[in-house]
């Protein structure tokens, strides 16, 4: 909605300028301006399609590296449903990623349980309940939170949260699902806040004014009018946070304990799909079955994040319709 | 957008072709990058040494190669792993100038090398690999046997609680469970621990915390009261305790040290060798001599292995 509003005036301005420029300055300027214009246009078009190009090239590369094992009788059932991950065993090599999938999802789900209330609450507060000055300050601080590199988060998890969790919850291991989920929650809150706030901002002021005019309190206006009106945008905010959490590598590698394990409580260590690739790809010899299986995990991850992002996208598209 | 301006649709056909060709270009470049390390020939006047073998030694060999590039810029040492067996096979096939091996050459292999290379391979002892068993500082355990370590770490192993080892109270530990700290499954240390403790064809019990480096193992053991871990002797810190190890239960328990590794009384240690096909070429000999020099041996210590006796 916002995008469309911005695009149209810009476009018409550009065409206007081209028309008047061509007419008033005559052939002298047009001689070099024409090719320049076309050159710039081509360049910009290239920038535009480059994203598509990179995504396809990456996908192609990942599939090509994994293809060797993928298309030669690869046991998908064992891959997806066995939790025996022994890629370098000498006696019995097994590639089962079930525990890794469960690890990824357990950390992501717990992270979202923590992050969604904070993220959406923050978005509602910033968009509806603060003075402009507080809003600007909060936004800057939250953006700062988003700018912290994930390895720094991982370090915090490893050295600060690790002993803290052991002491507070009286558990033997501080590197566990909870530790990773807390970090991921902190990392995805800024995304949720800024996208959620945009979604709330996109609700026309007439809705707020109408609600207040009907005698609703501010909270009633938010709860009954704004949230339903902005629900698609808010859902998209959550899903982008999920995408961030599923794909995050460094922080979870450091904070979750990196243990192939199906967790029975938030205090069990786990290992995620991304962390497995990060830890093992460097030393797996190029082209070996282990190397190829790691790329198959990459394809799996690519599929998961693609589905999440596509869902978010479709929801955002649907926003204008209702 | 597309329907309002037919030109933009027609115009996008040509870029599509460009997209495809650029995509192919990207893949070709990607493929070329992958093969570059082996295919890139060094300049004619530059001497190169092919150094192949033991995964256990690959970090050390790499550290040596990098340092030697500063000492002798005209010689490039190209290191690759694969295992001691791969190194020895390369030695026999004469594709390696130096084979790294964490075991002695078997007589049959020596015979084979003689046939293909017309000379007995020359052996150089370059250092030792010794793994220490670490527990947290407050853990009262005094010694442990290789057998018990195997039961703790092996898939299907019986020992999971500290009380089964006779340790009843570890200050600060929240449970009786032994928290196994291990390494990621392609590290040389992991391979050696598997070979010497867990069992060559056996696997590790799942659920261990797999760290990315020996330093991380020691740090994690320090922070987790109920933990046990293994790493090179050189990684010991004041925050952890080293446990004495006996070959069999009830046997003499030995503290790992440079001395006990040298006299072979410490059970989880082994020598590391370099082999050359026959007598080494002058530039290879010079390299090996450098690895045996104080500067080279210093790197042995820095990478977590045990240097030679002085």
């Amino acid at each position: 909605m916002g995008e469309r509003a911005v695009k149209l005036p810009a476009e018409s301005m550009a065409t206007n300028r081209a028309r008047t420029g061509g007419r008033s300055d005559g052939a002298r300027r047009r001689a070099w301006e024409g090719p320049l214009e076309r050159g710039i246009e081509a360049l910009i078009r290239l920038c535009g399609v480059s994203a598509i190009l990179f995504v396809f090239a990456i996908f192609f590369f990942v599939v090509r590296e994994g293809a060797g094992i993928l298309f030669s009788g690869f046991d998908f059932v064992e891959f997806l449903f066995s939790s025996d991950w022994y890629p370098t065993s000498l006696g019995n090599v097994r590639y089962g990623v079930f525990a890794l999938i469960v690890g990824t999802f357990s950390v992501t789900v717990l992270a979202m349980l923590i992050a969604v209330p904070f993220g959406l609450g923050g978005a509602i507060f910033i968009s509806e309940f603060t003075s402009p000055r507080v809003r600007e300050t909060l936004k800057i601080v939250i953006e700062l939170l988003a700018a912290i590199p994930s390895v720094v988060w991982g370090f915090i998890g490893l050295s600060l949260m690790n002993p803290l969790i052991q002491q507070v919850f009286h558990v033997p291991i501080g590197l566990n699902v909870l530790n990773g989920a807390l970090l991921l929650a902190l990392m995805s809150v800024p995304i949720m806040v800024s996208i959620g706030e945009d979604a709330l901002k996109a609700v026309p002021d007439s809705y707020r004014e109408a609600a207040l005019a009907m005698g609703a309190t501010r909270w009633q206006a938010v709860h009954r009018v704004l949230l339903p009106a902005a629900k698609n945008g808010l859902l998209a905010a959550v899903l982008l946070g999920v995408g961030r959490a599923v794909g995050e590598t460094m922080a979870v590698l450091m904070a979750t304990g990196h243990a192939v394990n199906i967790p029975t409580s938030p205090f069990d260590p786990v290992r995620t799909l991304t962390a497995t690739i990060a830890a093992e790809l460097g030393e797996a010899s190029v082209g070996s079955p282990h190397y190829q299986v790691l790329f198959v995990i990459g394809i799996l991850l690519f599929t998961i994040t693609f589905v999440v992002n596509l869902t978010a996208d479709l929801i955002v598209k649907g926003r204008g319709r209702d | 957008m597309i329907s309002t301006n037919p030109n933009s649709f027609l115009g996008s056909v040509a870029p599509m072709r460009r997209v495809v060709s650029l995509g192919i270009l990207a893949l070709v470049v990607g493929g070329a990058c992958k093969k570059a390390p082996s295919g890139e020939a060094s300049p004619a006047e530059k001497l190169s040494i092919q150094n192949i073998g033991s995964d256990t030694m690959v970090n050390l060999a790499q550290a040596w190669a990098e340092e030697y590039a500063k000492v002798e810029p005209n010689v490039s040492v190209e290191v690759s792993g694969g295992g001691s067996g791969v190194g020895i096979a390369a030695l026999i096939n004469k594709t390696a100038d130096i084979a790294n091996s964490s075991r002695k050459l078997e007589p049959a292999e020596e015979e084979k090398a003689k046939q293909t290379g017309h000379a007995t391979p020359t052996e150089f002892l370059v250092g030792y690999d010794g793994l220490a068993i670490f527990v947290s500082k407050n853990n009262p355990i005094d010694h442990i046997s290789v057998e018990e370590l195997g039961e703790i770490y092996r898939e299907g192993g019986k020992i999971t609680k500290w009380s089964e080892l006779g340790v009843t109270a570890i200050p600060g530990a929240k449970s009786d469970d032994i928290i196994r700290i291990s390494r990621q499954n392609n590290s040389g240390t992991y391979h050696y621990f598997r070979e010497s403790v867990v069992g060559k064809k056996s696997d590790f019990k799942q659920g261990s915390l797999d760290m990315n480096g020996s330093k991380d193992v020691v740090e994690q053991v320090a922070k987790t009261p109920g933990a046990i871990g293994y790493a090179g002797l050189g990684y010991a810190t004041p925050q952890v305790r080293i446990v004495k190890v006996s070959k069999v239960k009830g046997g003499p328990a030995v503290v790992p040290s440079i001395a006990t590794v040298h006299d072979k009384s410490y059970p989880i240690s082994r020598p590391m060798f370099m082999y050359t096909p026959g007598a080494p070429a002058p530039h290879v000999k010079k390299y090996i001599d450098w690895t045996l020099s104080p500067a080279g041996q210093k790197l042995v210590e820095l990478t977590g292995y045990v240097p030679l006796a002085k």
Side-chain angles (χ1 to χ4, degrees):
Chain A
M1 194 186 265
E3 272 173 44
R4 222 174 296 154
V6 174
K7 235 177 243 167
L8 283 175
E11 227 169 85
S12 57
M13 242 155 66
T15 45
N16 277 344
R17 205 182 297 143
R19 222 179 285 138
T20 51
R23 209 185 294 146
S24 59
D25 288 321
R28 187 175 52 85
R29 251 180 93 178
R30 214 193 290 152
W32 58 267
E33 209 173 48
L36 184 74
E37 195 98 332
R38 270 196 298 277
I40 290 173
E41 201 186 309
L43 194 71
I44 288 172
R45 181 169 284 165
L46 192 73
C47 294
V49 296
S50 67
I52 303 173
L53 189 114
F54 287 134
V55 168
F56 276 102
I58 289 169
F59 188 67
F60 200 93
F61 174 74
V62 171
V63 170
R64 190 194 61 167
E65 292 300 301
I69 198 156
L70 203 56
F71 299 119
S72 54
F74 187 62
D75 190 349
F76 273 104
V77 176
E78 195 205 319
F79 179 69
L80 290 176
F81 298 109
S82 156
S83 58
D84 290 338
W85 177 250
Y86 289 109
T88 58
S89 170
L90 292 177
N92 184 9
V93 178
R94 282 155 287 172
Y95 303 113
V97 297
F98 184 66
L100 310 181
I101 297 174
V102 173
T104 292
F105 278 98
S106 61
V107 177
T108 307
V109 167
L110 188 61
M112 287 306 115
L113 288 179
I114 302 165
V116 168
F118 280 98
L120 296 190
I124 293 169
F125 179 71
I126 288 177
S127 154
E128 306 300 326
F129 289 95
T130 57
S131 64
R133 241 180 71 198
V134 176
R135 176 183 309 152
E136 286 315 305
T137 321
L138 268 178
K139 280 178 93 169
I140 289 169
V141 175
I142 285 170
E143 271 155 28
L144 212 64
L145 199 64
I148 297 173
S150 68
V151 67
V152 175
W153 284 118
F155 186 71
I156 291 170
L158 201 59
S159 55
L160 197 78
M161 310 252 282
N162 178 12
L164 205 66
I165 288 177
Q166 283 184 33
Q167 281 159 21
V168 172
F169 295 100
H170 291 280
V171 288
I173 306 171
L175 299 181
N176 50 31
V177 176
L178 180 68
N179 194 337
L182 282 172
L183 296 183
L184 283 187
L186 282 166
M187 294 169 84
S188 43
V189 157
I191 296 176
M192 288 191 195
V193 170
S194 64
I195 294 174
E197 199 228 338
D198 283 348
L200 287 167
K201 273 269 120 62
V203 177
D205 273 344
S206 57
Y207 281 42
R208 293 184 184 82
E209 286 154 9
L212 295 176
M214 298 283 283
T217 62
R218 272 168 101 185
W219 169 241
Q220 282 171 329
V222 167
H223 177 58
R224 299 281 177 80
V225 177
L226 293 177
L227 287 188
K231 71 171 193 294
N232 286 330
L234 295 177
L235 202 57
V238 171
L239 283 179
L240 285 175
V242 171
R244 174 89 162 100
V246 170
E248 175 49 42
T249 305
M250 212 50 224
V252 292
L253 171 62
M254 292 163 84
T256 56
H258 206 57
V260 181
N261 183 28
I262 293 180
T264 52
S265 87
F267 304 112
D268 283 347
V270 291
R271 194 201 270 208
T272 63
L273 294 164
T274 47
T276 303
I277 298 178
E280 295 178 10
L281 191 59
E283 286 171 73
S285 60
V286 176
S288 66
H290 182 197
Y291 176 89
Q292 291 177 343
V293 165
L294 289 175
F295 272 91
V296 175
I297 294 181
I299 298 171
L300 184 66
L301 265 172
F302 203 95
T303 316
I304 294 171
T305 44
F306 179 73
V307 168
V308 170
N309 283 351
L310 193 70
T311 314
D313 232 37
L314 290 177
I315 289 170
V316 173
K317 286 264 168 59
R319 194 168 66 179
R321 232 175 290 141
D322 51 357
Chain B
M1 281 294 263
I2 284 168
S3 58
T4 55
N5 183 0
N7 281 335
S8 82
F9 175 66
L10 289 175
S12 69
V13 174
M16 269 316 283
R17 212 178 298 135
R18 231 175 298 150
V19 167
V20 173
S21 61
L22 271 172
I24 291 166
L25 182 74
L27 292 175
V28 169
V29 170
C33 285
K34 203 181 69 191
K35 291 191 184 81
S38 57
E40 205 176 45
S42 43
E45 69 276 13
K46 206 169 169 177
L47 292 163
S48 93
I49 300 174
Q50 294 296 326
N51 186 194
I52 304 175
S54 165
D55 278 323
T56 313
M57 292 167 68
V58 81
N59 287 342
L60 173 61
Q62 196 68 51
W64 270 336
E66 278 164 23
E67 192 62 30
Y68 197 63
K70 294 175 202 158
V71 179
E72 200 75 58
N74 287 328
V75 179
S76 86
V77 183
E78 281 154 31
V79 177
S80 62
S84 301
V86 171
I88 291 164
L91 185 81
I92 293 167
N93 299 332
K94 295 175 80 178
T95 52
D97 298 308
I98 303 173
N100 298 335
S101 175
S102 47
R103 59 174 172 81
K104 260 190 175 304
L105 219 59
E106 282 163 20
E109 288 167 341
E110 201 167 315
E111 206 47 50
K112 243 182 174 169
K114 251 189 233 170
Q115 283 167 14
T116 57
H118 310 292
T120 318
T122 317
E123 176 187 295
F124 298 90
L125 177 65
V126 293
Y128 298 90
D129 186 16
L131 292 187
I133 304 301
F134 295 101
V135 293
S136 75
K137 206 169 54 180
N138 296 328
N139 192 324
I141 191 167
D142 177 68
H143 56 86
I144 195 165
S145 69
V146 172
E147 224 175 293
E148 287 167 326
L149 279 172
E151 288 297 320
I152 293 171
Y153 274 99
R154 188 182 309 120
E155 187 183 21
K158 297 284 185 300
I159 300 176
T160 58
K161 310 265 182 214
W162 282 110
S163 53
E164 291 165 61
L165 294 170
V167 178
T168 46
I170 303 168
K174 309 294 188 300
S175 79
D176 192 23
D177 293 332
I178 299 175
I179 296 156
R180 286 159 284 130
I181 316 276
S182 184
R183 287 293 307 280
Q184 88 274 18
N185 56 32
N186 38 26
S187 91
T189 316
Y190 173 98
H191 283 269
Y192 176 44
F193 193 76
R194 179 169 67 191
E195 190 185 312
S196 60
V197 174
V198 174
K200 208 166 191 171
K201 295 278 174 191
S202 303
D203 284 302
F204 281 78
K205 207 186 280 177
Q206 251 170 11
S208 57
L209 275 67
D210 303 335
M211 299 289 131
N212 249 333
S214 293
K215 204 166 153 283
D216 301 331
V217 169
V218 176
E219 265 172 30
Q220 197 49 40
V221 169
K223 288 208 180 84
T224 315
I228 188 166
Y230 57 87
L233 247 184
Y235 291 97
T237 66
Q239 279 78 44
V240 291
R241 268 196 55 228
I242 292 177
V243 185
K244 291 180 205 159
V245 181
S246 61
K247 211 165 270 171
V248 290
K249 203 170 180 208
V254 181
V255 183
S257 68
I258 292 178
T260 55
V261 166
H262 284 167
D263 69 15
K264 299 188 179 70
S265 60
Y266 184 68
I268 325 174
S269 72
R270 58 177 168 181
M272 301 188 292
F273 298 106
M274 279 183 165
Y275 285 97
T276 59
H283 68 286
V284 176
K285 179 82 174 73
K286 210 173 159 196
Y287 176 60
I288 293 176
D289 284 344
W290 176 81
T291 66
L292 300 174
S293 74
Q297 288 297 304
K298 182 83 200 147
L299 282 173
V300 176
E301 215 170 338
L302 285 177
T303 42
Y305 303 93
V306 178
L308 296 170
K310 272 167 197 154

